[in-house]
Amino acid sequence: MRNVTLTQLFQHPIAQKYVKRSGLAHAIAAAYHALHLSKTHQVDPDLATKAAFLHDIGHYTWYRNGKWDFELYKENDIHAIKGAERAHKLLIRLGEEPQDAKQIALAVLLHTDSYLPEGNLQLNPLQTVVALADEADEEPNGNHHYRQISDEKALKQIKQLDRLIDETLAQRPLKKSV
């Protein structure tokens, strides 16, 4: 049994503010990708979908002269760092197991290397799944952050995703470690 569902995450005011700001349709799509990828990478689908749903929760809006400035974003953004902190705090508040909250936050932190100096990261399977799920839904110039979805449709898709996660967990025994 899961301590925190995606529905609970979606309905929390912090997620409503920050996930919507960074692109709710993208967050949901990434979570669906993470569910499918979790099977091939043998990762807990609960952790993978939560991390994928929250992966951009740290985004800040970079505007210049009233218009989105993608170059300013690319030069200055550290959304993964802020997102890891927000995701961890939100998950703990909702009652997530502390070790799971930490693993999810680390996957949020490492879903992109855009803020890091050049180098190679060694990602664990959960972190790999979240990075791949994000990449699977990306569009040029960050356009994936601007796709629209109604709250009603989003909630319906998230509840469906919760059902799929529960079914997946019931079908295969997984240990919580990543």
mmCIF file of all heavy atoms in Angstrom, residues 5-25:
data_model
loop_
_atom_site.group_PDB
_atom_site.id
_atom_site.type_symbol
_atom_site.label_atom_id
_atom_site.label_comp_id
_atom_site.label_asym_id
_atom_site.label_seq_id
_atom_site.Cartn_x
_atom_site.Cartn_y
_atom_site.Cartn_z
ATOM 1 N N THR A 5 -0.475 9.062 -2.727
ATOM 2 C CA THR A 5 -0.828 8.805 -4.124
ATOM 3 C C THR A 5 -0.526 10.036 -4.977
ATOM 4 O O THR A 5 -0.342 11.143 -4.456
ATOM 5 C CB THR A 5 -2.324 8.466 -4.254
ATOM 6 O OG1 THR A 5 -3.088 9.623 -3.874
ATOM 7 C CG2 THR A 5 -2.704 7.249 -3.417
ATOM 8 N N LEU A 6 -0.522 9.833 -6.277
ATOM 9 C CA LEU A 6 -0.370 10.969 -7.183
ATOM 10 C C LEU A 6 -1.551 11.927 -7.056
ATOM 11 O O LEU A 6 -1.385 13.140 -7.187
ATOM 12 C CB LEU A 6 -0.238 10.484 -8.624
ATOM 13 C CG LEU A 6 1.084 9.835 -8.982
ATOM 14 C CD1 LEU A 6 1.016 9.228 -10.372
ATOM 15 C CD2 LEU A 6 2.217 10.824 -8.892
ATOM 16 N N THR A 7 -2.721 11.389 -6.795
ATOM 17 C CA THR A 7 -3.895 12.237 -6.607
ATOM 18 C C THR A 7 -3.690 13.177 -5.422
ATOM 19 O O THR A 7 -3.989 14.373 -5.513
ATOM 20 C CB THR A 7 -5.161 11.377 -6.410
ATOM 21 O OG1 THR A 7 -5.332 10.531 -7.562
ATOM 22 C CG2 THR A 7 -6.396 12.235 -6.227
ATOM 23 N N GLN A 8 -3.162 12.640 -4.337
ATOM 24 C CA GLN A 8 -2.886 13.493 -3.170
ATOM 25 C C GLN A 8 -1.851 14.560 -3.508
ATOM 26 O O GLN A 8 -1.994 15.708 -3.093
ATOM 27 C CB GLN A 8 -2.397 12.652 -1.994
ATOM 28 C CG GLN A 8 -3.464 11.775 -1.386
ATOM 29 C CD GLN A 8 -2.867 10.821 -0.375
ATOM 30 O OE1 GLN A 8 -2.098 9.930 -0.728
ATOM 31 N NE2 GLN A 8 -3.218 11.014 0.881
ATOM 32 N N LEU A 9 -0.826 14.182 -4.229
ATOM 33 C CA LEU A 9 0.184 15.162 -4.644
ATOM 34 C C LEU A 9 -0.450 16.249 -5.501
ATOM 35 O O LEU A 9 -0.254 17.441 -5.258
ATOM 36 C CB LEU A 9 1.302 14.490 -5.440
ATOM 37 C CG LEU A 9 2.334 13.718 -4.664
ATOM 38 C CD1 LEU A 9 3.266 12.976 -5.612
ATOM 39 C CD2 LEU A 9 3.126 14.628 -3.744
ATOM 40 N N PHE A 10 -1.209 15.838 -6.515
ATOM 41 C CA PHE A 10 -1.844 16.785 -7.426
ATOM 42 C C PHE A 10 -2.742 17.768 -6.693
ATOM 43 O O PHE A 10 -2.774 18.954 -7.005
ATOM 44 C CB PHE A 10 -2.646 16.032 -8.485
ATOM 45 C CG PHE A 10 -3.525 16.925 -9.324
ATOM 46 C CD1 PHE A 10 -2.972 17.797 -10.247
ATOM 47 C CD2 PHE A 10 -4.904 16.889 -9.186
ATOM 48 C CE1 PHE A 10 -3.783 18.626 -11.010
ATOM 49 C CE2 PHE A 10 -5.715 17.706 -9.949
ATOM 50 C CZ PHE A 10 -5.154 18.578 -10.868
ATOM 51 N N GLN A 11 -3.476 17.296 -5.701
ATOM 52 C CA GLN A 11 -4.457 18.136 -5.021
ATOM 53 C C GLN A 11 -3.836 19.067 -3.979
ATOM 54 O O GLN A 11 -4.504 19.985 -3.509
ATOM 55 C CB GLN A 11 -5.534 17.261 -4.384
ATOM 56 C CG GLN A 11 -6.389 16.581 -5.435
ATOM 57 C CD GLN A 11 -7.395 15.600 -4.876
ATOM 58 O OE1 GLN A 11 -7.174 14.983 -3.835
ATOM 59 N NE2 GLN A 11 -8.499 15.439 -5.576
ATOM 60 N N HIS A 12 -2.580 18.875 -3.625
ATOM 61 C CA HIS A 12 -1.953 19.724 -2.620
ATOM 62 C C HIS A 12 -1.674 21.113 -3.213
ATOM 63 O O HIS A 12 -1.237 21.235 -4.356
ATOM 64 C CB HIS A 12 -0.643 19.091 -2.130
ATOM 65 C CG HIS A 12 -0.137 19.736 -0.893
ATOM 66 N ND1 HIS A 12 0.558 20.923 -0.906
ATOM 67 C CD2 HIS A 12 -0.241 19.363 0.406
ATOM 68 C CE1 HIS A 12 0.872 21.262 0.332
ATOM 69 N NE2 HIS A 12 0.397 20.331 1.150
ATOM 70 N N PRO A 13 -1.919 22.171 -2.452
ATOM 71 C CA PRO A 13 -1.719 23.538 -2.968
ATOM 72 C C PRO A 13 -0.302 23.823 -3.490
ATOM 73 O O PRO A 13 -0.147 24.580 -4.452
ATOM 74 C CB PRO A 13 -2.038 24.429 -1.762
ATOM 75 C CG PRO A 13 -2.949 23.606 -0.909
ATOM 76 C CD PRO A 13 -2.523 22.183 -1.108
ATOM 77 N N ILE A 14 0.706 23.226 -2.897
ATOM 78 C CA ILE A 14 2.082 23.446 -3.372
ATOM 79 C C ILE A 14 2.242 22.882 -4.785
ATOM 80 O O ILE A 14 2.792 23.535 -5.674
ATOM 81 C CB ILE A 14 3.106 22.801 -2.406
ATOM 82 C CG1 ILE A 14 3.058 23.475 -1.031
ATOM 83 C CG2 ILE A 14 4.514 22.822 -2.997
ATOM 84 C CD1 ILE A 14 3.451 24.941 -1.024
ATOM 85 N N ALA A 15 1.757 21.670 -5.003
ATOM 86 C CA ALA A 15 1.820 21.086 -6.340
ATOM 87 C C ALA A 15 0.953 21.877 -7.315
ATOM 88 O O ALA A 15 1.348 22.103 -8.463
ATOM 89 C CB ALA A 15 1.398 19.624 -6.312
ATOM 90 N N GLN A 16 -0.216 22.288 -6.867
ATOM 91 C CA GLN A 16 -1.092 23.077 -7.730
ATOM 92 C C GLN A 16 -0.358 24.324 -8.230
ATOM 93 O O GLN A 16 -0.426 24.662 -9.411
ATOM 94 C CB GLN A 16 -2.367 23.495 -6.977
ATOM 95 C CG GLN A 16 -3.358 22.379 -6.795
ATOM 96 C CD GLN A 16 -4.051 22.031 -8.089
ATOM 97 O OE1 GLN A 16 -4.601 22.884 -8.770
ATOM 98 N NE2 GLN A 16 -4.016 20.754 -8.443
ATOM 99 N N LYS A 17 0.354 24.984 -7.353
ATOM 100 C CA LYS A 17 1.062 26.211 -7.740
ATOM 101 C C LYS A 17 2.261 25.916 -8.633
ATOM 102 O O LYS A 17 2.386 26.480 -9.721
ATOM 103 C CB LYS A 17 1.524 26.954 -6.489
ATOM 104 C CG LYS A 17 2.307 28.218 -6.798
ATOM 105 C CD LYS A 17 2.703 28.956 -5.538
ATOM 106 C CE LYS A 17 3.487 30.213 -5.875
ATOM 107 N NZ LYS A 17 3.856 30.963 -4.666
ATOM 108 N N TYR A 18 3.140 25.046 -8.196
ATOM 109 C CA TYR A 18 4.422 24.897 -8.874
ATOM 110 C C TYR A 18 4.415 23.896 -10.022
ATOM 111 O O TYR A 18 5.121 24.111 -11.013
ATOM 112 C CB TYR A 18 5.517 24.550 -7.863
ATOM 113 C CG TYR A 18 5.779 25.688 -6.905
ATOM 114 C CD1 TYR A 18 5.424 25.591 -5.568
ATOM 115 C CD2 TYR A 18 6.367 26.869 -7.350
ATOM 116 C CE1 TYR A 18 5.655 26.642 -4.691
ATOM 117 C CE2 TYR A 18 6.602 27.924 -6.485
ATOM 118 C CZ TYR A 18 6.246 27.801 -5.157
ATOM 119 O OH TYR A 18 6.475 28.846 -4.296
ATOM 120 N N VAL A 19 3.660 22.825 -9.922
ATOM 121 C CA VAL A 19 3.604 21.892 -11.044
ATOM 122 C C VAL A 19 2.837 22.536 -12.196
ATOM 123 O O VAL A 19 3.237 22.426 -13.352
ATOM 124 C CB VAL A 19 2.996 20.532 -10.632
ATOM 125 C CG1 VAL A 19 2.796 19.629 -11.846
ATOM 126 C CG2 VAL A 19 3.894 19.838 -9.609
ATOM 127 N N LYS A 20 1.772 23.242 -11.883
ATOM 128 C CA LYS A 20 1.027 23.933 -12.941
ATOM 129 C C LYS A 20 1.902 24.988 -13.611
ATOM 130 O O LYS A 20 1.850 25.158 -14.829
ATOM 131 C CB LYS A 20 -0.243 24.570 -12.384
ATOM 132 C CG LYS A 20 -1.357 23.585 -12.181
ATOM 133 C CD LYS A 20 -2.612 24.285 -11.709
ATOM 134 C CE LYS A 20 -3.766 23.327 -11.596
ATOM 135 N NZ LYS A 20 -4.989 24.009 -11.163
ATOM 136 N N ARG A 21 2.688 25.699 -12.826
ATOM 137 C CA ARG A 21 3.547 26.746 -13.385
ATOM 138 C C ARG A 21 4.580 26.163 -14.349
ATOM 139 O O ARG A 21 4.937 26.792 -15.330
ATOM 140 C CB ARG A 21 4.243 27.508 -12.253
ATOM 141 C CG ARG A 21 5.155 28.617 -12.751
ATOM 142 C CD ARG A 21 5.555 29.541 -11.648
ATOM 143 N NE ARG A 21 6.662 28.974 -10.883
ATOM 144 C CZ ARG A 21 7.208 29.569 -9.840
ATOM 145 N NH1 ARG A 21 6.734 30.727 -9.411
ATOM 146 N NH2 ARG A 21 8.210 29.011 -9.201
ATOM 147 N N SER A 22 5.037 24.958 -14.078
ATOM 148 C CA SER A 22 6.074 24.365 -14.925
ATOM 149 C C SER A 22 5.495 23.492 -16.038
ATOM 150 O O SER A 22 6.237 23.025 -16.893
ATOM 151 C CB SER A 22 7.042 23.546 -14.070
ATOM 152 O OG SER A 22 6.380 22.471 -13.461
ATOM 153 N N GLY A 23 4.194 23.265 -16.015
ATOM 154 C CA GLY A 23 3.557 22.497 -17.081
ATOM 155 C C GLY A 23 2.913 21.219 -16.583
ATOM 156 O O GLY A 23 3.557 20.178 -16.519
ATOM 157 N N LEU A 24 1.658 21.288 -16.222
ATOM 158 C CA LEU A 24 0.935 20.146 -15.688
ATOM 159 C C LEU A 24 0.811 19.023 -16.718
ATOM 160 O O LEU A 24 1.005 17.851 -16.381
ATOM 161 C CB LEU A 24 -0.450 20.583 -15.192
ATOM 162 C CG LEU A 24 -1.343 19.503 -14.603
ATOM 163 C CD1 LEU A 24 -0.667 18.798 -13.427
ATOM 164 C CD2 LEU A 24 -2.679 20.118 -14.160
ATOM 165 N N ALA A 25 0.517 19.357 -17.954
ATOM 166 C CA ALA A 25 0.392 18.322 -18.988
ATOM 167 C C ALA A 25 1.719 17.582 -19.149
ATOM 168 O O ALA A 25 1.740 16.348 -19.297
ATOM 169 C CB ALA A 25 -0.056 18.937 -20.315
#
